[in-house]
Amino acid sequence: MDIHHIRYFLAVCETRNFTRAGEKCNVTQPALSRAIQQLEDEVGGLLFRRERNLTHLTDLGALLRPRFQQILDEVTGVRQEASRFLCLENANLKVGVMCTIGPRRFTGLLTDFNRRQQGIQLQLVEGVPASLSQLLEAGEIDVAIMASSDSFPERFDVTPLYRERFVLAFPNGHRLARNDNVAISELDGENYLRRLNCEYRDYLAGLCNERGVKLRISYASEREDWIQNMVSGGLGICFIPEFSAVIPGLQIRPVIDPEVWREVSLVVVAGRRFSPATSTFVNSVKAHSWPESGIDLSVRKRLHSKSKKRTDAMIYVVARAPAAV
């Protein structure tokens, strides 16, 4: 059964005349008549009583008319929805974002994207790298923005976006507040608040063990806001990514000896075809100008100036997690 046959049938129902129905559908009267005949053969009975001056619906034609109208409306609706989707009107896009990534880094991107692509409805889905990877592979999210202390699986295409260092967070009045930076060896004996969703948690713990630093784990939480509030309240210190949203009453200092960085990347499934909305977002993310480290340049200048008085050169050791992306 051809959708054009249904359209011709409904045109004859409306005009009650084969010639006028053919004009309405932009086909010749013989072609329309043949189509109606084929439709009648398909349903197994006459749909019209053909008369010279007036054409009438048969009982079968009257029975099938609302069903055929419903079919045509549904097909038309499908085409309209597809057209809006392909033209980025009312298109949905799900973006997975690692829960430890601060929103400051993405506000500019999202503002610009919304201004340029108002027809795309973007939904952010938070999660840890393992859960985001599963959602991405299952097609429940379209892209993911995350980091990993290990290499990503080969099934993913990974585009690095920016690097950010880990900093130490502590409350106002803490002994480390007088420092421009904090060496990991200076943390021995401190109360530590463990961020359970931190993808570098085990790696940072390993660095402390290598240097003989013993931390007293006072609290642990998956909630970044709870951890920061407990730090602000004097319950301990913690490592956080540089571009995390920092609450009032919290101070941060760069971690050195060694420095620890992570690389935040755009992750998609290799070989998977993008929808127009996904393709538009991926291109926008890749074209966005991601600023460099916010504290890096000013801190390095101060460190370099001070170190010149003691030595002829300053050596910075950057510690990366094994096979970091």
Side-chain angles (χ1 to χ4, degrees):
M1 190 175 298
D2 192 301
I3 191 64
H4 294 297
H5 294 173
I6 294 176
R7 187 163 62 89
Y8 300 160
F9 165 79
L10 293 171
V12 176
C13 291
E14 181 181 346
T15 63
R16 300 299 174 95
N17 183 279
F18 276 69
T19 301
R20 289 198 299 272
E23 293 171 353
K24 181 180 177 67
C25 297
N26 295 316
V27 295
T28 65
Q29 186 270 327
L32 183 136
S33 295
R34 285 195 298 273
I36 296 297
Q37 179 65 57
Q38 291 171 358
L39 186 59
E40 289 176 330
D41 292 342
E42 191 75 30
V43 299
L46 292 178
L47 298 172
F48 296 102
R49 294 187 182 92
R50 296 165 176 79
E51 298 180 0
R52 181 181 296 274
N53 297 323
L54 190 62
T55 298
H56 299 281
L57 275 170
T58 64
D59 291 342
L60 178 61
L63 175 67
L64 295 180
R65 182 179 182 180
R67 181 63 63 87
F68 282 149
Q69 185 65 60
Q70 181 182 5
I71 292 172
L72 184 63
D73 290 343
E74 289 181 355
V75 171
T76 302
V78 167
R79 287 173 175 166
Q80 291 173 346
E81 286 188 20
S83 177
R84 286 195 296 267
F85 178 80
L86 295 173
C87 295
L88 301 181
E89 296 178 13
N90 298 325
N92 294 314
L93 178 68
K94 290 186 178 181
V95 178
V97 180
M98 190 169 62
C99 56
T100 63
I101 292 179
R104 284 191 299 146
R105 211 57 163 169
F106 289 88
T107 302
L109 167 69
L110 297 179
T111 299
D112 182 66
F113 185 76
N114 178 259
R115 179 175 59 84
R116 294 174 181 271
Q117 306 293 340
Q118 295 186 6
I120 298 178
Q121 299 176 8
L122 192 149
Q123 178 183 349
L124 300 179
V125 180
E126 261 196 339
V128 297
S131 65
L132 291 180
S133 295
Q134 292 175 357
L135 292 174
L136 187 61
E137 191 171 15
E140 296 183 29
I141 58 176
D142 300 295
V143 301
I145 296 173
M146 54 184 174
S148 176
S149 59
D150 299 313
S151 59
F152 285 104
E154 291 184 1
R155 64 181 180 276
F156 294 144
D157 277 339
V158 180
T159 302
L161 301 178
Y162 65 87
R163 296 170 66 234
E164 65 177 329
R165 62 163 58 174
F166 279 85
V167 298
L168 189 75
F170 50 82
N172 289 327
H174 194 276
R175 66 178 179 87
L176 297 173
R178 64 178 180 271
N179 298 355
D180 287 330
N181 55 82
V182 177
I184 288 182
S185 59
E186 297 181 72
L187 306 182
D188 190 48
E190 289 284 343
N191 289 329
Y192 187 76
L193 302 174
R194 178 175 288 169
R195 299 167 51 246
L196 293 178
N197 286 334
C198 178
E199 75 281 7
Y200 274 68
R201 186 184 70 193
D202 293 338
Y203 180 69
L204 291 166
L207 289 179
C208 291
N209 290 335
E210 289 174 7
R211 285 153 181 77
V213 172
K214 294 184 179 180
L215 300 173
R216 296 192 295 269
I217 307 298
S218 52
Y219 291 96
S221 176
E222 295 180 346
R223 292 272 299 270
E224 297 286 310
D225 55 344
W226 275 74
I227 289 291
Q228 289 196 21
N229 274 279
M230 286 190 286
V231 171
S232 178
L235 297 179
I237 64 174
C238 73
F239 294 109
I240 61 174
E242 175 184 352
F243 299 114
S244 297
V246 176
I247 66 170
L250 209 66
Q251 295 196 46
I252 60 173
R253 294 291 186 275
V255 173
I256 62 169
D257 191 27
E259 294 178 347
V260 182
W261 298 76
R262 73 176 182 180
E263 194 159 60
V264 176
S265 300
L266 174 71
V267 184
V268 299
V269 177
R272 178 174 293 173
R273 295 184 63 181
F274 293 155
S275 70
T278 302
S279 180
T280 301
F281 182 77
V282 167
N283 291 335
S284 297
V285 171
K286 291 181 178 180
H288 185 67
S289 179
W290 298 97
E292 293 298 323
S293 169
I295 63 175
D296 186 47
L297 295 179
S298 60
V299 170
R300 284 189 180 225
K301 286 179 180 177
R302 292 200 301 271
L303 291 175
H304 186 69
S305 175
K306 290 181 180 181
S307 63
K308 274 288 187 180
K309 299 177 182 178
R310 302 191 303 268
T311 62
D312 292 333
M314 186 82 170
I315 300 176
Y316 294 92
V317 179
V318 178
R320 292 175 178 269
V325 178

